Amino acid sequence: MYQGTSQFGAHELIGMNEALMSKSANIEVLSFLSSQVQDTKLQNMLEQHVQMIQHHYHQGVGILQGHHAGMPSIPPSYPSTMTTQPKLGLRNPSMPSPNLHAQAPSERSICTIALNMYKFGAVAWTTFALECTNPQLRTFLMNGANMCDKMAYEMWSFMNQKGYYQVPTLQENTTQTLIQAYQTPQVSQMMHGMNPYQ
């Protein structure tokens, strides 16, 4: 018999069920996608992401079943494969039309699918966590959001270097005008306004 389920509210159990179902599906989808890529760097990244998600999934099941009394505050980290600076600006961007007769997804589509999974995952896990009253579940869920954030940025960096995800920029004078429009408050005035004894 499992221990500790009484400490979870109904909404928490429903949220965890939803989260773990999604995480299980993500493991399968990402494992399949990694087998469809030719690029070794991308394949290694996806396989690494699968391992991280799988570890987090097992951790979540253990928490629900009372096997993880002392959960670490953060999930184990992995060395990032991306150390290059982001490329800003458009470099002859092109967006191929969808292939309605594709036998396998393109590398660009595989990256986009994975990136969207991580982005939506970060939002979903954060939302679940903010509705959570159990401290252990809340920490677990926020760790999941943090992991999605790291994987999303790593995938975006890969896409950016490949030219799949380019970032438009403004003209330099427009950028400077926007940045200089912001003013910081005077510290003395701010402190004076906050002091209830003056």
Side-chain angles (χ1 to χ4, degrees):
M1 182 172 175
Y2 299 141
Q3 303 292 320
T5 52
S6 59
Q7 62 185 315
F8 306 134
H11 67 288
E12 291 172 326
L13 288 173
I14 292 168
M16 279 294 286
N17 180 59
E18 185 88 11
L20 292 176
M21 281 176 56
S22 298
K23 199 161 275 285
S24 177
N26 290 350
I27 291 168
E28 289 186 16
V29 170
L30 290 171
S31 295
F32 170 74
L33 293 177
S34 71
S35 71
Q36 301 297 304
V37 245
Q38 302 299 318
D39 187 290
T40 309
K41 197 171 194 177
L42 177 58
Q43 188 175 52
N44 290 340
M45 186 197 308
L46 288 169
E47 288 172 355
Q48 209 167 43
H49 291 179
V50 168
Q51 289 174 3
M52 288 295 297
I53 296 169
Q54 195 168 15
H55 173 83
H56 200 239
Y57 172 83
H58 288 305
Q59 197 176 48
V61 172
I63 290 169
L64 280 183
Q65 297 179 354
H67 303 153
H68 280 257
M71 186 188 64
S73 59
I74 56 171
S77 60
Y78 58 92
S80 175
T81 59
M82 303 308 299
T83 55
T84 52
Q85 285 291 107
K87 295 180 179 178
L88 302 181
L90 299 179
R91 308 179 304 280
N92 300 316
S94 66
M95 184 60 68
S97 59
N99 184 356
L100 300 178
H101 306 290
Q103 299 299 306
S106 67
E107 184 179 277
R108 181 194 292 259
S109 293
I110 287 172
C111 291
T112 303
I113 291 166
L115 179 63
N116 285 336
M117 285 172 65
Y118 304 149
K119 284 182 175 180
F120 295 134
V123 173
W125 285 84
T126 301
T127 303
F128 286 143
L130 293 175
E131 295 300 321
C132 212
T133 55
N134 180 286
Q136 194 177 30
L137 282 186
R138 195 177 181 106
T139 300
F140 169 77
L141 292 166
M142 286 307 296
N143 285 346
N146 183 51
M147 190 170 64
C148 284
D149 164 60
K150 290 186 184 330
M151 293 189 298
Y153 189 73
E154 191 171 34
M155 181 57 69
W156 175 82
S157 297
F158 176 86
M159 295 175 73
N160 178 248
Q161 295 300 313
K162 286 278 194 173
Y164 298 158
Y165 200 131
Q166 299 186 28
V167 182
T169 55
L170 297 172
Q171 291 183 354
E172 183 63 25
N173 62 335
T174 305
T175 301
Q176 288 305 315
T177 301
L178 180 62
I179 292 171
Q180 292 170 5
Y182 290 92
Q183 302 295 323
T184 56
Q186 296 282 337
V187 176
S188 58
Q189 290 177 354
M190 188 173 68
M191 295 302 290
H192 179 75
M194 292 172 60
N195 190 341
Y197 301 106
Q198 289 186 347

